[in-house]
């Protein structure tokens, strides 16, 4: 794990690099260790390589060149050979695992500074290697980890002696006099990420909220997740070498030496298992409905106190349902999230089916396949989805916004045939005015229309 500020390249910094001397010293330690290991291939994940929203770009071809010309040091140049065999092996693994990655879509073949800064130090000690360069993507955290798992399998199948370098700075918002200013999340991110990486507690990388990371203006989080995937199921010896933030940007360096297999360090599998183990019966019904519909285009039927799942794979063919789900009618909302981001949400304000169970089944199917904001859920996504089910209470008309509470009540804004609804206690909705504004926007209602207001409570199941 290394940063990539061009400042620490002597020919670029021209003396200014001394402000982060601890980072430079740690980099030299890393370079010496790489020289001792004598890898055949160095893989670098770089935030400044080609990046797409839904695709991991792996640099194609046999070689690439680059220099620090844009940083006024054209004399520092690189000509690197790519490991085409290992690239092909990684692409085969990603295809098999339905990870969206490959060598297509290269917009700029030249080496980026997120790649060249690490190589600047490596090449001072060692040059007999080939390179694989991989970009990040806008895909969720889990996909970055899964890409790392694909890389691990490709390394094992090709037998390559390999070093993986996760290139990435930490927060860019550590101080008001820094180049990017200050945000409270900046120092907090650096403290948390160095604790995680310093202890190789890679499972906690999934717990960083995306909005928090964005406010901290971090650079390398997804790069670190790829490396964590490369080390999936592997015990490691950790050396935390340095952490500095004197320039207003966080720079951290850690080394990890594999010590052998360790089944307790399958972090993505553990995260998914923890989610499933905590589901109540309402959420189990929603999840299994989505899985059945996605795989088989079928839905369960509810009778005799049970939900029956035809062609069930891997789980019991029936779920025993409580009396409340079978005898009571109510509106429900089913929400799907993937890595903290909404993946689908559809619901009914009042009951349209004969029971809460049937209402959940109906809305689960709609949430995964008919939410107009999203493409239908695919089978490859199912294991990463997190579900919630809201069961709505009675709807009450109210005379003013003073009778609302964003944590306790959902709101319905109505004007004529137009109606917009927002559930209570949603992340990012902090006040009643914001709640009403969003609900009106969803219903196509303007403030000038002075909509009527209703409120309702929900029981939320996770």
């Amino acid at each position: 794990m290394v940063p990539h500020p061009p400042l620490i390249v002597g020919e670029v910094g021209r003396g200014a690099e001394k402000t982060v001397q601890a980072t430079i010293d740690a980099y030299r330690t890393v370079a010496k260790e790489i020289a001792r290991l004598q890898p055949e291939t160095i893989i670098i994940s770089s935030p400044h390589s080609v990046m797409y929203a839904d695709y991991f770009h792996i640099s194609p071809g046999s070689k690439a060149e680059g220099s620090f010309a844009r940083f006024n040091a054209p004399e520092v140049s690189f000509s690197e050979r790519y490991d085409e065999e290992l690239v092909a092996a990684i692409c085969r693994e990603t295809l098999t695992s339905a990870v969206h990655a490959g060598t297509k879509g290269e917009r700029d073949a030249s080496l980026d500074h997120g790649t060249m800064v690490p190589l600047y130090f490596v090449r001072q000690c060692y040059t007999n290697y080939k390179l694989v360069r991989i970009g990040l993507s806008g895909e969720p955290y889990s996909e970055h980890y899964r890409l790392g798992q694909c890389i691990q399998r490709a390394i094992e199948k090709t037998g390559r002696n390999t070093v993986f370098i996760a290139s990435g700075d930490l927060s860019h918002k550590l101080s008001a006099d820094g180049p990017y200013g200050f945000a409270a999340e900046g120092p907090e991110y650096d403290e948390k990420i160095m604790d995680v990486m310093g202890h190789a507690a890679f499972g906690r990388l999934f717990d960083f909220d995306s909005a928090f990371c964005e406010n901290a203006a971090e650079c390398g989080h997804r790069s670190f997740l790829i490396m964590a995937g490369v080390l999936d199921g592997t015990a490691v010896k950790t050396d935390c070498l340095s952490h500095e933030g004197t320039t207003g940007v966080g720079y951290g360096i850690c080394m990890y030496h594999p010590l052998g297999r360790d089944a307790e360090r399958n972090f993505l599998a553990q995260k998914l298992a923890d989610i499933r183990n905590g589901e109540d019966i309402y959420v189990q019904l929603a999840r299994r409905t989505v899985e059945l519909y996605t795989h088989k285009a079928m839905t369960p039927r509810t009778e005799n106190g049970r939900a029956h799942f035809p062609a069930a794979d891997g789980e019991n063919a029936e779920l025993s349902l409580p009396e409340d789900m079978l005898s009571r009618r109510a509106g429900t909302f089913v929400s799907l999230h993937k890595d903290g981001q909404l993946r689908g949400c559809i619901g009914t304000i009042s009951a349209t089916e004969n029971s809460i169970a049937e209402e959940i089944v109906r809305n689960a199917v709609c949430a995964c396949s008919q939410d107009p904001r999203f493409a239908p859920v695919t089978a490859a996504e199912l294991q990463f989805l997190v579900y919630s089910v809201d069961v709505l209470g009675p709807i009450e008309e109210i005379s003013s916004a003073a009778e609302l509470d964003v944590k306790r009540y959902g709101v319905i804004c109505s004007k004529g045939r137009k109606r917009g609804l927002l559930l209570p206690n949603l992340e990012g909705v902090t006040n009643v005015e914001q709640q009403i504004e969003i609900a009106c926007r969803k219903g196509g209602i303007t403030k000038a229309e002075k909509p009527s207001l209703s409120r309702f409570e929900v029981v939320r199941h996770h």
Side-chain angles (χ1 to χ4, degrees):
M1 166 187 160
V2 298
H4 49 244
L7 168 74
I8 63 177
V9 174
E11 293 85 346
V12 175
R14 302 180 189 278
E17 69 273 12
K18 294 178 182 178
T19 59
V20 285
Q21 190 62 47
T23 298
I24 293 172
D25 292 342
Y27 239 124
R28 288 172 176 159
T29 298
V30 168
K32 290 176 182 176
E33 179 61 9
I34 290 174
R36 185 188 71 81
L37 293 169
Q38 296 186 331
E40 299 167 87
T41 302
I42 295 176
I43 304 175
I44 299 181
S45 57
S46 170
H48 297 282
S49 184
V50 179
M51 182 173 177
Y52 289 98
D54 56 356
Y55 181 79
F56 295 99
H57 178 76
I58 305 172
S59 294
S62 60
K63 63 180 181 179
E65 298 179 346
S67 78
F68 283 104
R70 63 182 292 235
F71 300 101
N72 300 314
E75 69 275 18
V76 184
S77 61
F78 302 82
S79 181
E80 303 294 333
R81 300 170 299 151
Y82 282 140
D83 188 337
E84 296 177 85
E85 182 183 352
L86 184 53
V87 167
I90 293 171
C91 290
R92 286 193 295 271
E93 293 299 322
T94 60
L95 182 62
T96 300
S97 300
V99 173
H100 301 141
T103 56
K104 297 179 180 179
E106 184 170 59
R107 298 191 298 265
D108 184 357
S110 60
L111 297 172
D112 62 283
H113 74 271
T115 299
M116 290 188 292
V117 170
L119 293 181
Y120 174 81
F121 289 94
V122 171
R123 293 188 70 84
Q124 293 175 23
C125 301
Y126 183 69
T127 59
N128 190 28
Y129 62 86
K130 289 185 177 181
L131 178 67
V132 173
R133 183 167 60 122
I134 298 176
L136 313 184
S137 84
E139 291 273 34
Y141 290 166
S142 58
E143 293 301 288
H144 287 75
Y145 193 96
R146 291 214 302 139
L147 173 61
Q149 292 176 303
C150 292
I151 294 169
Q152 180 194 90
R153 292 192 294 271
I155 291 169
E156 291 172 348
K157 289 179 180 179
T158 56
R160 286 291 193 275
N161 179 17
T162 306
V163 164
F164 188 95
I165 296 178
S167 178
D169 299 337
L170 308 184
S171 171
H172 284 65
K173 298 221 171 188
L174 296 184
S175 64
D177 57 355
Y180 305 95
F182 175 79
E185 293 89 347
E188 185 180 354
Y189 177 84
D190 268 37
E191 180 181 358
K192 286 184 176 180
I193 197 66
M194 288 307 299
D195 181 53
V196 168
M197 302 307 286
H199 293 91
F202 299 142
R204 288 163 53 197
L205 287 169
F206 295 109
D207 298 333
F208 283 69
D209 180 75
S210 57
F212 169 74
C213 289
E214 183 176 351
N215 291 337
E218 60 79 20
C219 170
H221 200 88
R222 286 171 166 79
S223 193
F224 308 153
L225 276 155
I226 297 174
M227 179 176 67
V230 174
L231 294 170
D232 179 70
T234 304
V236 295
K237 174 183 177 293
T238 306
D239 294 297
C240 188
L241 301 178
S242 69
H243 175 224
E244 291 189 289
T246 55
T247 67
V249 179
Y251 307 136
I253 296 183
C254 296
M255 287 197 301
Y256 307 94
H257 290 81
L259 300 176
R261 302 304 293 171
D262 184 346
E264 294 185 1
R265 292 181 63 81
N266 297 108
F267 295 113
L268 181 57
Q270 289 176 19
K271 174 182 170 62
L272 299 175
D274 288 344
I275 292 170
R276 298 291 177 258
N277 291 338
E279 292 176 343
D280 72 4
I281 191 64
Y282 292 76
V283 174
Q284 287 182 51
L285 178 59
R287 173 178 62 81
R288 293 192 59 184
T289 296
V290 168
E291 291 172 350
L292 178 62
Y293 185 81
T294 303
H295 281 302
K296 308 285 188 181
M298 302 171 68
T299 58
R301 71 181 192 279
T302 56
E303 61 182 14
N304 301 323
R306 297 177 183 273
H308 300 268
F309 291 84
D313 296 320
E315 290 192 69
N316 292 331
E318 297 180 341
L319 275 179
S320 295
L321 302 177
E323 179 61 25
D324 181 68
M325 291 180 71
L326 296 165
S327 61
R328 189 162 69 88
R329 303 176 72 225
T332 69
F333 274 74
V334 175
S335 301
L336 319 178
H337 285 81
K338 184 178 176 183
D339 288 291
Q341 300 176 1
L342 186 66
R343 185 61 182 85
C345 178
I346 295 290
T348 43
I349 296 174
S350 56
T352 63
E353 303 291 337
N354 293 325
S355 68
I356 288 175
E358 292 178 24
E359 203 81 26
I360 291 171
V361 168
R362 174 189 186 277
N363 291 329
V365 169
C366 292
C368 76
S369 63
Q370 298 176 28
D371 189 328
R373 297 167 293 180
F374 304 98
V377 166
T378 65
E381 295 178 275
L382 290 174
Q383 62 178 317
F384 306 111
L385 295 181
V386 178
Y387 298 76
S388 64
V389 175
D390 290 296
V391 180
L392 277 61
I395 296 170
E396 306 173 275
E397 291 187 8
I398 57 176
S399 58
S400 74
E403 298 178 69
L404 291 172
D405 180 325
V406 293
K407 297 295 184 183
R408 179 178 178 182
Y409 296 112
V411 65
I412 301 172
C413 300
S414 304
K415 188 65 179 181
R417 299 179 65 180
K418 295 186 290 187
R419 186 160 58 172
L421 176 148
L422 197 68
L423 295 169
N425 198 23
L426 296 179
E427 183 179 353
V429 180
T430 58
N431 57 68
V432 168
E433 292 75 17
Q434 185 184 14
Q435 185 185 38
I436 292 174
E437 179 185 352
I438 296 171
C440 284
R441 189 164 65 243
K442 292 175 69 176
I445 303 169
T446 65
K447 284 186 178 181
E449 293 181 272
K450 297 182 179 180
S452 61
L453 302 176
S454 302
R455 71 182 186 184
F456 59 91
E457 294 184 271
V458 304
V459 177
R460 179 160 294 161
H461 299 267
H462 296 280

